Amino acid sequence: GVLLDKYAQGVQEVDVEFVSSEITGSDRWYAEKIRLMQNPADGHIMALLYVRDIHEQKLRELAIERAAQRDSLTGLYNRGAIQDVVEAYTKKAKRRDMAALLIIDLDNFKMANDTYGHSYGDRVLCQVARTLEEIFPKAAIGRLGGDEYIVFMEHLSSKDVLNSLMERLCDELYVLLGDVKCVYRLSASVGAAIYAVHGSSYAELYEHADEAQYQAKRTGKNSCFIYGEYNKTASTAKFVGPEWLLDEISEAIYVCDALTNEVLYVNRA
């Protein structure tokens, strides 16, 4: 079969790595070298096999490969890895296939992180990561850096499903982050683009999802939009308190407790 075809093509050595439990009773990685040669007596093709245990070496290689693809804080994909996932999909997908790319940006995170410190901020970022994994269990999920995340969902059945998942994400993060002791109202703004309606490449989908996320942020935060559908403000925008409006003012605004002088709010001027 395959080995004979390779020999006919001039291949005399084949290297294979595989997992087997037949030798030790538990799964282990092995490397097999196959040497192909012709028996001078009868002309038949023979194969000499050499098998060695590479389990520990392979685990180290896989750990290094995983580390190169993962965000060190949250364990999610990093920017480069998630781009590879999307580009691999777009190369094989058909135009009738439906998938979605989401950009999620946390509202007021920078102010909270600057106020309460990086340990606090790291806990929030990890909580958000776990929530994304719960809501999108079959999706590729990444952290783009800072407080920005990305989700790529294959096999999307309908736009209604996407809207429902985005609204659930906003609602759950609003509740989750509302439980965190913080004077700033943490929430999330979400934008999405659909393959191949809004683009057929990673760059196009990212650009349009990012624009939709920006529109959600401008609308009042704690909101979600699909690219181009910005006329549904009443049903999607949550308008989280007055700080979203204060953030748009160019002058610096401080809100303090009159008795303790504790700074309660600083806008993003």
Side-chain angles (χ1 to χ4, degrees):
V2 175
L3 290 178
L4 289 176
D5 290 341
K6 287 186 175 295
Y7 185 79
Q9 296 168 8
V11 177
Q12 295 185 332
E13 279 192 358
V14 178
D15 293 302
V16 179
E17 292 182 353
F18 62 95
V19 176
S20 175
S21 60
E22 293 184 5
I23 299 176
T24 64
S26 59
D27 287 344
R28 292 186 68 83
W29 280 94
Y30 296 92
E32 182 178 63
K33 183 178 288 292
I34 305 172
R35 175 72 176 176
L36 303 173
M37 63 185 68
Q38 189 174 42
N39 188 333
D42 56 17
H44 291 167
I45 307 302
M46 302 185 301
L48 298 179
L49 280 65
Y50 170 65
V51 180
R52 61 190 178 92
D53 188 318
I54 60 167
H55 190 67
E56 281 70 26
Q57 173 190 335
K58 188 65 177 181
L59 291 183
R60 288 193 296 270
E61 291 175 358
L62 292 174
I64 293 172
E65 181 180 333
R66 174 181 169 81
Q69 297 177 332
R70 298 286 172 169
D71 171 61
S72 59
L73 175 64
T74 63
L76 302 177
Y77 281 123
N78 58 29
R79 180 185 289 268
I82 202 78
Q83 181 172 343
D84 289 343
V85 170
V86 178
E87 289 179 345
Y89 174 86
T90 58
K91 287 179 182 177
K92 64 180 177 60
K94 299 177 175 60
R95 295 291 296 185
R96 66 176 179 271
D97 293 339
M98 184 178 285
L101 187 143
L102 289 70
I103 302 293
I104 301 101
D105 187 84
L106 301 186
D107 304 321
N108 304 320
F109 176 80
K110 184 180 185 302
M111 293 182 293
N113 191 53
D114 291 345
T115 301
Y116 296 102
H118 293 298
S119 294
Y120 160 85
D122 288 350
R123 288 196 300 273
V124 170
L125 294 173
C126 289
Q127 286 179 307
V128 172
R130 302 293 80 80
T131 300
L132 289 170
E133 290 173 332
E134 178 184 338
I135 296 176
F136 304 99
K138 296 182 180 180
I141 306 170
R143 180 180 171 220
L144 296 173
D147 60 354
E148 195 169 33
Y149 299 81
I150 184 170
V151 174
F152 184 66
M153 300 171 53
E154 298 185 32
H155 311 300
L156 181 65
S157 58
S158 71
K159 189 165 63 175
D160 288 341
V161 170
L162 176 58
N163 268 319
S164 177
L165 287 170
M166 290 198 301
E167 289 178 4
R168 176 187 168 191
L169 176 61
C170 283
D171 290 342
E172 291 199 14
L173 288 181
Y174 185 73
V175 173
L176 171 71
L177 301 178
D179 289 338
V180 179
K181 184 180 184 302
C182 177
V183 297
Y184 306 107
R185 177 66 265 189
L186 298 178
S187 57
S189 296
V190 184
I194 298 174
Y195 177 92
V197 178
H198 304 133
S200 56
S201 69
Y202 172 80
E204 291 173 332
L205 292 170
Y206 182 93
E207 178 184 356
H208 292 153
D210 195 48
E211 181 178 325
Q213 181 273 131
Y214 177 75
Q215 189 67 28
K217 186 84 70 174
R218 293 279 296 180
T219 300
K221 304 181 181 179
N222 192 33
S223 307
C224 53
F225 284 117
I226 295 175
Y227 175 72
E229 301 186 4
Y230 308 140
N231 60 335
K232 300 180 180 180
T233 302
S235 62
T236 57
K238 308 292 194 301
F239 296 98
V240 184
E243 65 269 16
W244 73 272
L245 182 59
L246 295 177
D247 285 343
E248 303 305 318
I249 299 176
S250 59
E251 291 80 10
I253 296 176
Y254 293 80
V255 178
C256 301
D257 187 299
L259 297 178
T260 65
N261 294 322
E262 178 186 2
V263 177
L264 301 178
Y265 174 78
V266 181
N267 72 333
R268 297 186 302 171

